[in-house]
Amino acid sequence: MIDKIAWIEIENGKILVAKSKGKSVFYIPGGKRESNETDAQTLIREIREELSVELIPESLVHYGNFSAQAHGHVSGIIVEMTCYTASYRGTLLAANEIEEVAWLGFGDKDQVSFVDRIIFDDLKSKQLLK
């Protein structure tokens, strides 16, 4: 199992996604926990490293947990995604391994990983994603 913490940021009915160098799909931004990190510490660090912005710790709100086959891994490897919303300071800029950032709507869900497609469905059902 892959333990991943992710940031759900929605503006105008679209969700922020990122594509890493050499990857074929977009992902909801976030990453894997380092030893002894909390969800908040993981998410704040990953978003700073990948998108050059600072999440505001006191604004973090748990959105939900989702799991699916890990994209690009052998069958049976599952990614467990713990998702949060949060406010941020700064200007979104791709950094480090991130090649591209984009805002996607529900109709773009074929461009994201398997677990993200489940999250897109959930966001759409709550009328958060257009």
Side-chain angles (χ1 to χ4, degrees):
M1 187 191 72
I2 298 169
D3 174 28
K4 187 174 175 191
I5 313 299
W7 177 40
I8 293 177
E9 176 64 6
I10 296 176
E11 287 185 15
N12 302 316
K14 294 190 173 194
I15 187 168
L16 177 68
V17 293
K19 186 185 288 185
S20 297
K21 294 173 184 162
K23 300 288 184 181
S24 61
V25 295
F26 285 97
Y27 296 87
I28 294 172
K32 298 174 192 161
R33 183 187 320 272
E34 291 182 356
S35 62
N36 299 319
E37 276 186 327
T38 65
D39 286 3
Q41 290 168 332
T42 300
L43 194 57
I44 290 166
R45 176 184 52 77
E46 286 285 346
I47 297 307
R48 180 185 312 118
E49 291 172 0
E50 294 181 354
L51 300 176
S52 309
V53 296
E54 290 293 326
L55 294 183
I56 301 168
E58 57 273 14
S59 73
L60 264 73
V61 175
H62 181 257
Y63 178 82
N65 289 41
F66 303 87
S67 59
Q69 168 66 40
H71 192 89
H73 290 266
V74 296
S75 182
I77 302 294
I78 303 299
V79 62
E80 172 73 27
M81 188 101 89
T82 304
C83 299
Y84 291 85
T85 60
S87 299
Y88 68 95
R89 290 185 197 96
T91 302
L92 292 164
L93 293 170
N96 293 317
E97 76 270 15
I98 302 303
E99 175 177 78
E100 181 182 357
V101 293
W103 294 93
L104 300 182
F106 185 74
D108 303 310
K109 109 174 168 173
D110 62 334
Q111 297 180 48
V112 299
S113 70
F114 302 126
V115 71
D116 290 359
R117 292 175 189 181
I118 295 169
I119 297 166
F120 271 47
D121 289 341
D122 186 75
L123 291 165
K124 176 74 170 169
S125 75
K126 294 175 179 164
Q127 299 182 334
L128 297 171
L129 201 59
K130 294 181 183 175

